[in-house]
Amino acid sequence: MQLTGQTGTARPPADGPPGRGLLYGVGHACARRPWRVIAVWLLVLLAAVAADRAWGGAYGDDFDLSGTPSQTGADLLNAHGARGSRGVAAQIVVRSSEGSLASHREALTSAQGRLEELPRVVSVVGPPGAPGAVAEDGRTGYYTVRFEETPAKFEKAYLDRVDDAVRGLRADDVTVEYGGPLGQLARPASADRASEVIGVGTAVLVLLLGFGSVAAAGFPLLTAIVGLLTGLSALGLLAAQFSFAAVSPTPATMMGLGVGLDYSLFLVTRHRKLLHTAATPAEAAARTVATSGRAVLVAALTVTAALGGLFASRVGFIGMLGLAAGTAVLVGALAALTLTPALLGLAGRRIDRWHVRPPVDEPDDPGDIWYRWAAAVRRRPWTFLVLGLLILGTLAVPVASLRLGHIDAGASPASSTERRAYDLTAAGFGPGANGPLTVVVTLDKDRPTTTEQRTTLAEGLHDALVTTPGVASATMPGPTPDGALLVSTVTPDTGPQDRATADLVHRLQDEVLPRTLSPQGATGYLTGGTAGQLDFRDVLADRLPHVVGIVVAAAFVLLLAVFRSPLVALKAAVLNLLSIGAAFGVVVAVFQWGWGASLLGIEETVPVESYVPTMMFAIVFGLSMDYEIFLLSRVRETWLQTHDNHRSVASGLAGTARVITCAALIMTSVFLAFLLSSSVVVKMLALGLGISVVLDATVVRLLLVPAAMYLLGRANWWIPRWLDRLLPRLDPEGAHPAPPAENAPGRVRETR
């Protein structure tokens, strides 16, 4: 067998000298006219912030699961006017400090009347008159307040009006706590601002220590902050037109700040190197954008493509999270490619004038620590390859016990009103009362039923429900106002996030309801918040392979088109999957197994939130490709000049190791700073993303990538001729490889 292909030999682009193209022109223009560029960005930022304040939208956790039992059941309830089905429900839990709630009847009735008068309230049902609204001990009860839309989206000022409505109860010595989306509205101000300050502060320290120059530290920070504020304002304007999850600003902030710092840092580092040989600072900035800027552009497109792959889940909630983060990434990249060269042009050759220690540049000395590291890996590539694989494999072991679920209010801080409402409900009514299930039964239109037959059906269903293991109680199924449906409320023995509750939902939906109802020509559906979350989990679990396949395929094709090497693209995809598996393993060990969870302020073990693996995969895969692209761009640049694989790998690793390490430290600090959040889901994302960046910048970039490229040798740059002709050329500023002659040294021929 004979494999014939080619390796890259450079030829100048058709439009002029090498390196002079679109990105070169952008960099040169921005550096020549810095004040214009800075003024434009300031105007864009001010306009975006003002527009967001005036017309920006709100965020809320609304998602559609068309075709699932929970969504079908909810649609049936709305269509047939079932009592209490309209609007979004929230709970207000009350508990008498002394005696029963009956002794507070007047205050309870007055509070209900005042709640009904609030704007956007559809209905209020609660003690003392509502059946089941008071626990057996007589001291605990709850109002069910239905709003026109989720109160989680309301302004904080709305909560003051709710407080006023229940003030009489509190004055009457009754404890009042808010649950559900009303409890979400009552959450304290987010810790995101503190996280951002910590991330920025750490970035300043890392940049000053790593590069010594005040300007080299300040320019990336300024660029990242401008890009982040602009991106978040743009996201707010998008939220006025589209539905974004409540958590959307957090991943957008993480990604916008992290990649904004990284992209600008890579440009500043390359510019300082090129200043030594460029005729003018503007020329150095132009060449910087034409070389490292190309890597930034490709990296940003790769990250955005990975985030866009979330739409393959066909769940709008998840896709819009990807859009939120992708918006911040694109704005951050645009700021890096335009505002950074403007600042560099403004600084001129005085960029290192202010420094805290002698400024550090990209190494040229073969005695530099990173050259010595590259030489060590070259001497023992198999050792380093096996070591890296063992590290990632060990960390990935916990993934085998991954359990997806929904993290309920029981995992919220004990100081929050939603956690106190959850605990009061669990103590008074049982843990399952925090996640009741609604059974909706439709009757066969072609088989008319008498009142007696419906009664028999309802009694048989009730008996089947109450005798099902895991059911604490079930109400007698009753008809909707039009008589088209039968509705029953089932209370599980266990809380919403317990595995036993998920098992119960599947048992009822897949076994109990079909067995009981099918002989009567009826169909049953389980709906409600808990059932909906479990359907959401199952849908995402089924579609995660689609997301993985599309994201990996898109990244593979993009890398193939950029680096013209099937092996390089395949290696990048495989190694990134390994690092993602290791990050997942750490998340499972901490949150499911509880290893070190108390250090993060988590009081109990929890399942992994259903959408976290999908979201983490897209973000981590995109970020992993970031560093891969920065490293491989420098390796390929040297390869096109020398056609020496060993020298190319060593030069690329040494040239990017310091900046990748600093960038990784900065991004890790940005992510881990969000561990301060009160949201367990945000903590989960923060830890997973932070660990993934550490693994990617150390184990993958310093061990696995150079070891694999040393072992592959010249095969790294082999590509079949037919594939080279077929692929588009995503090399806007670099040289385009030309096919070598038949006996040229670049020819790679393998015979077996």
Side-chain angles (χ1 to χ4, degrees):
M1 175 181 173
Q2 194 175 63
L3 296 178
T4 303
Q6 66 178 41
T7 57
T9 54
R11 70 166 179 254
D15 59 343
R20 293 183 182 271
L22 177 61
L23 291 181
Y24 178 95
V26 168
H28 198 268
C30 291
R32 288 279 309 273
R33 302 173 180 83
W35 287 114
R36 293 186 186 182
V37 177
I38 294 170
V40 168
W41 267 107
L42 288 177
L43 288 175
V44 169
L45 173 60
L46 293 174
V49 171
D52 181 30
R53 289 183 177 275
W55 303 297
Y59 304 93
D61 293 336
D62 298 331
F63 53 89
D64 178 41
L65 294 173
S66 300
T68 63
S70 60
Q71 187 68 53
T72 303
D75 292 342
L76 286 169
L77 288 175
N78 290 329
H80 293 278
R83 293 186 185 90
S85 65
R86 183 186 166 206
V88 178
Q91 293 74 42
I92 298 180
V93 185
V94 294
R95 179 174 174 79
S96 172
S97 300
E98 294 183 5
S100 68
L101 286 174
S103 62
H104 303 278
R105 180 178 295 271
E106 183 177 346
L108 290 167
T109 303
S110 174
Q112 180 169 340
R114 298 190 68 179
L115 287 169
E116 290 172 340
E117 294 173 357
L118 292 177
R120 292 184 277 189
V121 169
V122 176
S123 64
V124 182
V125 178
V134 178
E136 290 183 3
D137 63 4
R139 297 180 59 188
T140 306
Y142 63 88
Y143 295 97
T144 299
V145 185
R146 288 194 166 270
F147 297 88
E148 293 175 353
E149 58 180 331
T150 176
K153 290 185 176 183
F154 294 171
E155 295 290 334
K156 286 286 186 182
Y158 189 88
L159 199 64
D160 295 334
R161 306 185 70 169
V162 179
D163 288 337
D164 289 339
V166 299
R167 192 180 306 279
L169 278 173
R170 289 181 169 133
D172 210 32
D173 209 19
V174 175
T175 299
V176 182
E177 303 293 350
Y178 306 135
L182 196 60
Q184 296 172 21
L185 178 65
R187 288 174 182 171
S190 172
D192 287 0
R193 291 292 174 263
S195 301
E196 293 166 14
V197 170
I198 292 174
V200 170
T202 305
V204 172
L205 184 62
V206 170
L207 290 170
L208 287 176
L209 293 178
F211 296 95
S213 168
V214 173
F219 290 171
L221 286 172
L222 181 59
T223 301
I225 291 172
V226 170
L228 175 63
L229 294 177
T230 305
L232 289 177
S233 298
L235 180 59
L237 293 174
L238 288 174
Q241 304 298 323
F242 305 100
S243 179
F244 285 90
V247 75
S248 295
T250 299
T253 300
M254 289 179 177
M255 295 297 291
L257 187 57
V259 302
L261 283 165
D262 275 9
Y263 293 163
S264 184
L265 175 60
F266 276 97
L267 295 176
V268 170
T269 304
R270 191 64 181 273
H271 174 80
R272 293 169 69 217
K273 176 73 172 179
L274 294 175
L275 267 179
H276 299 314
T277 56
T280 64
E283 173 67 17
R287 289 167 57 190
T288 295
V289 178
T291 51
S292 292
R294 166 184 169 272
V296 166
L297 182 61
V298 174
L301 291 176
T302 305
V303 175
T304 306
L307 293 169
L310 290 173
F311 281 102
S313 67
R314 302 196 302 280
V315 177
F317 176 91
I318 296 298
M320 298 308 283
L321 281 175
L323 178 60
T327 299
V329 169
L330 288 178
V331 175
L334 181 61
L337 291 172
T338 55
L339 183 56
T340 300
L343 294 171
L344 294 174
L346 190 64
R349 297 191 181 277
R350 297 169 298 172
I351 189 170
D352 290 329
R353 180 176 179 181
W354 298 284
H355 54 268
V356 296
R357 71 180 185 88
V360 180
D361 218 331
E362 290 184 6
D364 289 321
D365 182 8
D368 182 85
I369 183 173
W370 296 113
Y371 274 102
R372 295 200 303 271
W373 175 258
V377 176
R378 178 182 177 182
R379 286 193 297 271
R380 297 180 181 84
W382 282 110
T383 300
F384 285 100
L385 183 67
V386 172
L387 176 62
L389 293 176
L390 282 175
I391 293 173
L392 295 184
T394 302
L395 291 176
V397 167
V399 174
S401 60
L402 173 67
R403 180 170 73 88
L404 299 179
H406 173 60
I407 299 174
D408 59 31
S412 298
S415 59
S416 66
T417 185
E418 60 181 332
R419 170 63 182 275
R420 294 195 294 266
Y422 182 97
D423 291 342
L424 287 174
T425 301
F429 297 89
N434 283 297
L437 308 169
T438 301
V439 178
V440 180
V441 179
T442 61
L443 305 175
D444 189 348
K445 296 180 180 179
D446 297 329
R447 297 172 58 178
T449 56
T450 64
T451 302
E452 183 178 351
Q453 289 173 321
R454 291 192 180 193
T455 301
T456 302
L457 175 61
E459 291 174 348
L461 175 60
H462 181 259
D463 290 342
L465 292 174
V466 296
T467 57
T468 300
V471 172
S473 64
T475 63
M476 179 63 70
T480 53
D482 62 2
L485 308 174
L486 292 176
V487 182
S488 173
T489 299
V490 176
T491 303
D493 279 332
T494 50
Q497 73 181 22
D498 290 353
R499 184 192 295 271
T501 301
D503 294 339
L504 173 63
V505 169
H506 287 297
R507 188 181 307 120
L508 291 173
Q509 186 66 65
D510 300 335
E511 300 174 18
V512 176
L513 294 182
R515 183 176 65 242
T516 306
L517 301 175
S518 294
Q520 310 299 323
T523 306
Y525 304 93
L526 274 180
T527 188
T530 300
Q533 288 291 348
L534 291 172
D535 279 345
F536 181 63
R537 179 201 69 178
D538 293 342
V539 166
L540 285 181
D542 290 341
R543 296 176 184 174
L544 179 58
H546 301 161
V547 176
V548 172
I550 289 175
V551 170
V552 172
F556 176 82
V557 171
L558 185 61
L559 289 180
L560 188 58
V562 172
F563 295 110
R564 325 301 292 180
S565 168
L567 287 177
V568 164
L570 179 62
K571 171 187 59 64
V574 171
L575 293 183
N576 287 345
L577 289 174
L578 290 175
S579 66
I580 290 170
F584 281 177
V586 173
V587 169
V588 171
V590 172
F591 292 92
Q592 266 187 232
W593 296 358
W595 291 7
S598 60
L599 300 176
L600 305 182
I602 300 171
E603 301 172 4
E604 61 180 52
T605 58
V606 295
V608 175
E609 181 66 37
S610 54
Y611 65 83
V612 164
T614 307
M615 191 72 190
M616 258 188 67
F617 170 78
I619 293 177
V620 171
F621 196 88
L623 291 178
S624 298
M625 285 298 183
D626 254 14
Y627 296 143
E628 184 83 12
I629 288 167
F630 288 128
L631 173 58
L632 291 179
S633 293
R634 297 302 300 276
V635 174
R636 182 173 182 267
E637 186 178 326
T638 305
W639 165 258
L640 291 176
Q641 296 169 359
T642 66
H643 286 88
D644 183 331
N645 183 72
H646 291 329
R647 179 178 173 185
S648 299
V649 174
S651 176
L653 180 62
T656 60
R658 178 176 286 107
V659 68
I660 285 180
T661 301
C662 288
L665 284 173
I666 292 169
M667 190 169 285
T668 301
S669 69
V670 169
F671 288 153
L672 295 184
F674 281 85
L675 291 172
L676 295 175
S677 173
S678 60
S679 169
V680 178
V681 177
V682 173
K683 290 177 186 287
M684 203 173 280
L685 280 171
L687 181 66
L689 296 177
I691 292 296
S692 71
V693 171
V694 171
L695 293 175
D696 199 71
T698 55
V699 178
V700 175
R701 290 316 141 228
L702 298 181
L703 297 178
L704 295 177
V705 170
M709 295 193 76
Y710 279 134
L711 289 170
L712 290 171
R714 293 175 63 84
N716 281 308
W717 311 107
W718 173 83
I719 182 172
R721 291 184 180 277
W722 63 268
L723 182 59
D724 186 52
R725 290 193 298 266
L726 181 65
L727 288 172
R729 294 195 177 275
L730 301 182
D731 194 2
E733 304 299 334
H736 297 271
E742 184 66 26
N743 298 318
R747 188 80 164 179
V748 174
R749 186 179 299 273
E750 180 178 294
T751 304
R752 185 173 66 188

